[in-house]
Amino acid sequence: MFSYRHAFHAGNHADVLKHTVLLHVLDYFNRKPNPYWVIDTHAGAGIYDLGDEWAEKNAEFETGISRLWSLPNLPTDLQRYVDYIRDLNQGDDLQFYPGSPWIALEYMREKDRLRLFELHPSEYEVLQDNINQQDRSISRQVSIFDKNGFSYLKSQLPPPTRRAITLIDPSYEDKTDYRQLVKTMKEALERFQTGCYLIWYPLVQRKEVFEMIHQLEKLPNIEWVNASLTIKKPSKDGYGMHGSGMFIINPPYTLYPALQTVMPYLCEHLAEDGHASFSLTHFER
């Protein structure tokens, strides 16, 4: 079973950026023997069939992962990303695309744990079915909650391992998501200041986006990296997404140098017109 909702956008430019960052962070966390948790506040269904009618409706993967699929000499982080998707598909044909929960589940070790939140009832049901189809040893690593990830994140913090990656990527269909995200981050940092938080956001013509980023940059006692990718000129009517970004709080020290190579490459190969650009900024204490 696969999602009908998130599948509209599976494998698009936003997923390429988000999952490249996620894989880098997971790889970094795996370098140390201490166990960690991954917490996903808006999990979706876990994995998507790109041949499904929902995914093919807009076929956004064709201007995302498909553009990198056969390119030679990819930057290291993008090669890791494409190799992982290839391994998942067990061949040269791109049929399935993983969501963030699936990537985390396959990259984690036996001692690590995955906490997934999904409020949408259909998405929750599909996610649970997809996880239940895995080996019991794998499914025991996972806890799934049909709860609002914004509201329940603080209940997971701090994890007993004192190591955690938290991914926050709501749909932002509700404008209040922007303010709610900042509120959630303030509460999370009060409980677990040293956690690594990966925040995805869309580039749309809304002032709330820029206000949210400004508020995140002002959060006290953190380091951060902010990477945004514009793939095309914003539409005249103000609708639609013309790019996306990742705001990473307490990132691995290796992430910013890696993105210095990744971002210009994505800008070149995922551009849809001559207005493509990228921004990469960071703050270190």
Side-chain angles (χ1 to χ4, degrees):
M1 298 178 68
F2 296 93
S3 166
Y4 68 91
R5 214 165 59 109
H6 287 72
F8 276 121
H9 313 295
N12 70 355
H13 62 89
D15 272 355
V16 171
L17 176 57
K18 175 171 61 178
H19 293 152
T20 298
V21 169
L22 176 60
L23 282 167
H24 183 105
V25 175
L26 286 166
D27 180 71
Y28 181 84
F29 267 63
N30 283 342
R31 295 180 191 180
K32 295 183 179 181
N34 306 51
Y36 61 87
W37 284 18
V38 176
I39 305 168
D40 194 331
T41 62
H42 298 77
I47 190 168
Y48 308 97
D49 185 350
L50 298 180
D52 183 85
E53 61 177 314
W54 299 102
E56 288 191 329
K57 186 175 181 64
N58 295 323
E60 292 187 16
F61 58 88
E62 292 183 354
T63 55
I65 176 61
S66 292
R67 290 198 178 178
L68 305 178
W69 193 245
S70 300
L71 289 179
N73 304 316
L74 289 167
T76 301
D77 280 68
L78 290 178
Q79 190 66 61
R80 179 197 292 123
Y81 163 71
V82 172
D83 286 347
Y84 166 72
I85 306 297
R86 282 189 178 278
D87 289 344
L88 178 71
N89 282 273
Q90 299 181 344
D92 293 332
D93 295 330
L94 177 60
Q95 181 179 358
F96 301 111
Y97 190 85
S100 302
W102 217 256
I103 295 174
L105 184 62
E106 296 204 332
Y107 256 69
M108 293 187 323
R109 304 153 307 179
E110 290 184 9
K111 54 190 171 184
D112 305 320
R113 296 294 179 263
L114 182 60
R115 299 291 186 267
L116 304 175
F117 291 87
E118 179 51 57
L119 189 59
H120 191 283
S122 297
E123 296 281 84
Y124 172 79
E125 181 181 351
V126 175
L127 175 64
Q128 195 164 51
D129 286 344
N130 282 331
I131 295 296
N132 287 342
Q133 290 177 34
Q134 305 310 300
D135 292 340
R136 182 171 296 182
S137 61
I138 295 176
S139 62
R140 279 201 297 262
Q141 292 180 262
V142 186
S143 298
I144 308 174
F145 307 93
D146 55 344
K147 304 290 185 181
N148 185 325
F150 279 143
S151 302
Y152 282 85
L153 172 59
K154 61 183 178 182
S155 70
Q156 305 297 302
L157 302 175
T161 61
R162 300 292 172 170
R163 299 183 76 212
I165 303 165
T166 299
L167 177 65
I168 306 175
D169 61 338
S171 67
Y172 297 97
E173 292 175 358
D174 186 339
K175 289 184 179 181
T176 63
D177 281 354
Y178 298 95
R179 293 194 303 274
Q180 183 63 49
L181 190 147
V182 174
K183 178 177 180 291
T184 298
M185 277 311 312
K186 289 179 178 178
E187 294 174 346
L189 288 168
E190 286 177 359
R191 296 181 68 90
F192 188 41
Q193 180 71 37
T194 58
C196 181
Y197 300 89
L198 315 183
I199 299 166
W200 176 85
Y201 61 91
L203 291 180
V204 292
Q205 297 184 77
R206 285 182 177 177
K207 65 179 182 180
E208 289 88 353
V209 179
F210 306 101
E211 290 174 351
M212 181 186 75
I213 296 301
H214 181 62
Q215 292 297 316
L216 291 174
E217 290 175 346
K218 293 196 305 180
L219 291 172
N221 302 316
I222 63 167
E223 297 184 351
W224 53 262
V225 170
N226 184 21
S228 65
L229 176 68
T230 297
I231 60 164
K232 61 184 177 180
K233 183 179 181 179
S235 62
K236 292 182 178 179
D237 59 13
Y239 290 101
M241 187 170 65
H242 56 271
S244 71
M246 289 292 291
F247 192 96
I248 304 95
I249 293 175
N250 299 326
Y253 75 94
T254 55
L255 182 60
Y256 181 74
L259 289 175
Q260 287 180 303
T261 301
V262 166
M263 295 306 294
Y265 195 92
L266 291 181
C267 184
E268 177 184 356
H269 290 280
L270 300 189
E272 295 189 15
D273 62 26
H275 295 270
S277 64
F278 74 92
S279 173
L280 179 61
T281 55
H282 69 135
F283 173 76
E284 296 179 352
R285 289 184 287 170

